[in-house]
């Protein structure tokens, strides 16, 4: 089920909330049983009839729950249980996500040797919904139990709920057991203030998705479908808009998930903190997809040695982490290139930082002055946007074609050429307004903190006026209606 669908917004979620809060809080497990049932229904509907994948989720929960208990109760062989658990989880990821990628490479090699006569058939199965997210969440739990940073969950139903909690099951954030499991011990009482805060967060998510992201996709999808044929200016415009489309699309899912969870009394982690205002790629990754970047930091980068073993080893560890990050996003050479580009950015940034600071000193430009900060922000965004060509392109050939068109932009296009990019005049104007509004909101968030918290501190009349304006914005400018195909969240495919 998609958060942006009318069936979720007007049927499933209101009905679920009604049943959940009408269920007595005693015995303690009654509401959690409702939450488990609702999460199961939510996931099953999203499977679109592929029931075997629900069994896969159930098996993952059962095995990882048992592994957590085995690690605690059999300490002499705890490391063995941990290794078995990691191998089990990555086995399913490999089979569903990477096996065909490997077989394609093998077939290419066999084709060179045999003249194209030999080929291993590819497996024709769909990627299970949410597998990249719930698998990493299960791995994080197992490692945390092994390290002793959390206790192994004794109650199976609570661990099942930790993995299958529907707001974050399909597309994250990738939660930590130390945050969620304690919140699931007792069902929360209904709180009007918490519900209002959650609804504000959900509304902002719907604005980002239906008004901003889906509108920006019109141009980005049209230009990228042409693989650079529309010229360098089109590539540049589509890439910039895709950056904001991806940000708003994924951030919207997180905000809707966090808002829905907050209404249920569960606080999910923040996943984005104004990433496009970052002044370095390293800062960008501290503010972008925080649950994934912190996962790789805690469970891969630091175990590899982090930055404790010299500059060369630090750069190698960084490249390994971002190679894995690229592959997590998809089994394609474009994602490998995207990940390695970010690893290269970080390595070069670390190596050149002393030189750049000496250059600022030589030019007598304060490192923290506004022009210097704006330059670093613009340069960081340009680097990130360039890497997004590989993230968005349908294949390596298409990505390289887009890069070539970017390097040869030609004359600035006229009005007719721009209108061929997939948007009419009003949509172009509204898209520019949307991007400016997103940037402004991020600037205010950096300055004031959470805007939803700040709104709820205002007089009640102001609160309702802003909420009504938000609802009208979605109703008037949202991308739905005749001729509009509902666009799924981008991270559903990962």
């Amino acid at each position: 089920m998609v958060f942006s669908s009318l069936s979720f917004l007007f049927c499933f979620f209101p009905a679920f909330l009604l049943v959940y809060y009408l269920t007595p809080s005693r015995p303690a497990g009654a509401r959690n049983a409702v939450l488990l049932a609702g999460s199961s229904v939510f996931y099953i509907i999203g499977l679109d009839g592929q029931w075997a994948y629900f069994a896969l989720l159930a098996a993952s929960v059962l095995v990882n729950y048992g592994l957590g208990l085995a690690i605690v109760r059999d300490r002499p062989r705890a490391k063995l249980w941990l290794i078995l658990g990691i191998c089990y989880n990555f086995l399913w990821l490999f089979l569903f996500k990477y096996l065909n990628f490997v077989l394609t490479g093998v077939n290419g090699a066999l084709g060179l040797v045999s003249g194209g006569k030999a080929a291993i058939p590819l497996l024709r199965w769909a990627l299970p919904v949410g597998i990249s997210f719930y698998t990493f969440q299960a791995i994080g739990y197992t490692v945390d139990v092994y390290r002793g940073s959390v206790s192994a969950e004794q109650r199976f139903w609570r661990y099942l709920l930790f993995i299958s909690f529907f707001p974050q099951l399909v597309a994250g954030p990738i939660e930590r057991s130390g945050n969620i499991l304690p919140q699931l011990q007792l069902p929360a009482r209904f709180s009007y203030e918490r519900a209002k805060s959650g609804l504000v967060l959900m509304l902002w998510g719907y604005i980002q998705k239906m008004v901003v992201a889906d509108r920006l996709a019109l141009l980005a999808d049209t230009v990228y479908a042409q693989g650079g044929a529309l010229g360098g200016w089109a590539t540049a415009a589509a890439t910039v808009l895709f950056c904001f489309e991806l940000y708003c699309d994924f951030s919207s899912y997180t905000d809707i998930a966090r808002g829905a969870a907050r209404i249920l009394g569960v606080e999910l982690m923040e996943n984005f903190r104004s990433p496009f205002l970052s002044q370095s790629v390293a800062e960008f990754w501290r503010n972008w997809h925080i649950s994934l970047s912190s996962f790789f930091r805690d469970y891969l980068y630091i175990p590899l040695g982090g930055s404790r073993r010299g500059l060369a080893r630090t750069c190698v560890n960084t490249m390994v982490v971002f190679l894995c990050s690229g592959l997590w996003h998809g089994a394609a050479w474009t994602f490998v290139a995207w990940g390695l580009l970010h690893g290269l950015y970080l390595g070069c940034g670390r190596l050149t930082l002393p030189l750049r600071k000496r250059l600022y000193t030589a030019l007598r430009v304060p490192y923290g002055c506004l022009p210097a900060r704006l330059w670093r922000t613009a340069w960081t965004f340009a680097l990130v946007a360039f890497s997004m060509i590989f993230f968005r392109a349908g294949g390596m050939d298409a990505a390289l074609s887009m890069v070539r068109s970017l390097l040869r932009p030609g004359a600035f296009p006229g009005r007719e050429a721009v209108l061929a990019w997939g948007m009419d005049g009003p949509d172009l104007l509204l898209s520019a307004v949307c991007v400016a509004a997103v940037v402004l909101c991020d600037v205010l968030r950096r300055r004031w903190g959470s805007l939803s918290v700040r709104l709820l501190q205002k007089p009640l009349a102001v609160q309702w006026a802003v909420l009504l304006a938000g609802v009208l914005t979605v109703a008037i400018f949202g991308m739905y209606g005749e001729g509009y195909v509902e666009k799924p969240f981008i991270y559903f495919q990962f």
Side-chain angles (χ1 to χ4, degrees):
M1 186 179 298
V2 182
F3 280 165
S4 57
S5 65
L6 296 179
S7 59
F8 173 82
L9 188 57
F10 294 109
C11 297
F12 174 83
F13 193 56
F16 172 78
L17 284 180
L18 185 64
V19 173
Y20 181 77
Y21 278 115
L22 287 178
T23 301
S25 57
R26 299 294 181 189
R31 282 189 180 172
N32 283 327
V34 173
L35 191 52
L36 277 172
S39 297
S40 300
V41 170
F42 179 87
Y43 190 68
I44 289 171
I45 292 174
L47 291 176
D48 195 24
Q50 297 171 316
W51 289 87
Y53 293 156
F54 183 76
L56 180 66
L57 172 63
S60 175
V61 170
L62 186 61
V63 170
N64 285 286
Y65 169 74
L67 286 167
L69 296 178
I71 288 171
V72 171
R73 297 174 182 177
D74 189 9
R75 292 306 299 179
R77 290 182 289 186
K79 192 169 186 177
L80 174 61
W81 290 117
L82 174 66
I83 294 171
L84 287 174
I86 292 174
C87 290
Y88 170 82
N89 286 291
F90 277 117
L91 173 64
W92 289 114
L93 269 183
F94 176 78
L95 288 177
F96 283 102
K97 200 167 183 178
Y98 305 111
L99 181 58
N100 281 346
F101 179 59
V102 173
L103 291 179
T104 301
V106 171
N107 286 338
L110 290 176
L112 292 175
V113 174
S114 63
K117 297 179 180 178
I120 303 173
L122 301 182
L123 300 176
R124 300 186 180 278
W125 49 29
L127 185 67
V129 176
I131 188 171
S132 296
F133 291 90
Y134 71 70
T135 297
F136 268 35
Q137 195 157 306
I139 291 172
Y141 165 80
T142 307
V143 174
D144 286 343
V145 170
Y146 174 78
R147 291 174 175 174
S149 54
V150 299
S151 301
E153 179 54 56
Q154 301 296 314
R155 297 192 177 186
F156 175 73
W157 64 264
R158 192 178 294 157
Y159 180 80
L160 173 60
L161 192 51
F162 159 64
I163 295 294
S164 64
F165 185 53
F166 78 87
Q168 49 85 218
L169 169 62
V170 174
I174 304 169
E175 270 295 349
R176 304 297 179 88
S177 53
N179 177 38
I180 296 298
L181 283 172
Q183 298 186 66
L184 298 177
Q185 289 184 5
L186 291 174
R189 295 180 179 274
F190 178 79
S191 165
Y192 170 74
E193 292 300 323
R194 191 174 58 232
K196 187 166 60 172
S197 174
L199 287 173
V200 168
L201 202 52
M202 291 180 72
L203 177 59
W204 174 238
Y206 284 114
I207 292 174
Q208 290 181 91
K209 172 61 177 172
M210 301 181 71
V211 177
V212 183
D214 287 358
R215 173 165 279 99
L216 300 183
L218 295 174
L219 189 146
D221 289 352
T222 300
V223 174
Y224 270 87
Q226 300 297 317
L230 294 177
W233 290 104
T235 297
T239 301
V240 169
L241 292 189
F242 174 70
C243 288
F244 283 95
E245 178 201 347
L246 180 65
Y247 172 37
C248 292
D249 189 282
F250 195 15
S251 179
S252 71
Y253 188 95
T254 300
D255 287 341
I256 295 170
R258 291 180 66 219
R262 185 174 293 173
I263 296 171
L264 294 169
V266 176
E267 197 64 36
L268 300 180
M269 71 182 297
E270 189 178 17
N271 216 14
F272 294 90
R273 287 194 293 260
S274 307
F276 290 150
L277 300 182
S278 302
Q279 297 179 41
S280 68
V281 177
E283 183 186 351
F284 171 81
W285 277 105
R286 290 193 294 270
N287 296 316
W288 175 275
H289 203 344
I290 298 169
S291 64
L292 179 68
S293 57
S294 62
F295 180 95
F296 279 120
R297 179 197 65 207
D298 295 342
Y299 301 117
L300 183 58
Y301 180 71
I302 292 176
L304 286 173
S307 56
R308 303 186 305 273
R309 299 185 181 180
L311 185 58
R313 181 63 180 271
T314 298
C315 292
V316 170
N317 292 343
T318 301
M319 292 299 288
V320 171
V321 165
F322 279 93
L323 172 62
C324 293
S325 179
L327 286 171
W328 180 89
H329 282 85
W333 289 112
T334 48
F335 289 113
V336 171
W338 173 80
L340 292 179
L341 263 178
H342 278 272
L344 184 63
Y345 290 161
L346 287 167
C348 290
R350 184 181 290 270
L351 289 170
T352 62
L353 181 60
L355 176 63
R356 286 182 282 124
K357 287 190 172 182
R358 285 199 297 269
L359 181 60
Y360 276 99
T361 303
L363 295 173
R364 297 183 179 180
V365 176
Y367 190 78
C369 70
L370 180 61
R373 296 201 310 270
L374 290 175
W375 163 252
R376 290 195 296 272
T377 299
W379 178 242
T380 299
F381 179 80
L383 292 174
V384 171
F386 178 79
S387 73
M388 289 298 182
I389 294 175
F390 295 90
F391 192 100
R392 176 60 182 83
M396 187 59 77
D397 289 340
L400 294 176
S401 176
M402 300 289 281
V403 171
R404 285 192 294 269
S405 74
L406 196 62
L407 297 176
R408 298 191 299 271
F412 192 80
R415 183 177 182 275
E416 294 301 322
V418 172
L419 292 178
W421 295 354
M423 281 188 186
D424 57 20
D427 270 330
L428 282 170
L429 178 61
L430 188 54
S431 296
V433 171
C434 287
V435 169
V438 170
V439 173
L440 177 61
C441 287
D442 277 359
V443 170
L444 294 177
R445 190 179 293 115
R446 282 281 181 100
R447 187 179 181 86
W448 294 341
S450 172
L451 297 183
S452 62
V453 171
R454 197 172 182 88
L455 170 63
L456 296 176
Q457 293 171 348
K458 300 295 182 182
L460 193 60
V462 175
Q463 294 180 32
W464 281 108
V466 172
L467 291 175
L468 179 60
V471 171
L472 290 176
T473 298
V474 175
I476 296 171
F477 299 108
M479 297 293 290
Y480 53 85
E482 186 177 355
Y484 172 67
V485 178
E486 184 179 282
K487 190 173 176 64
F489 289 90
I490 293 174
Y491 265 73
F492 272 14
Q493 62 186 299
F494 300 133

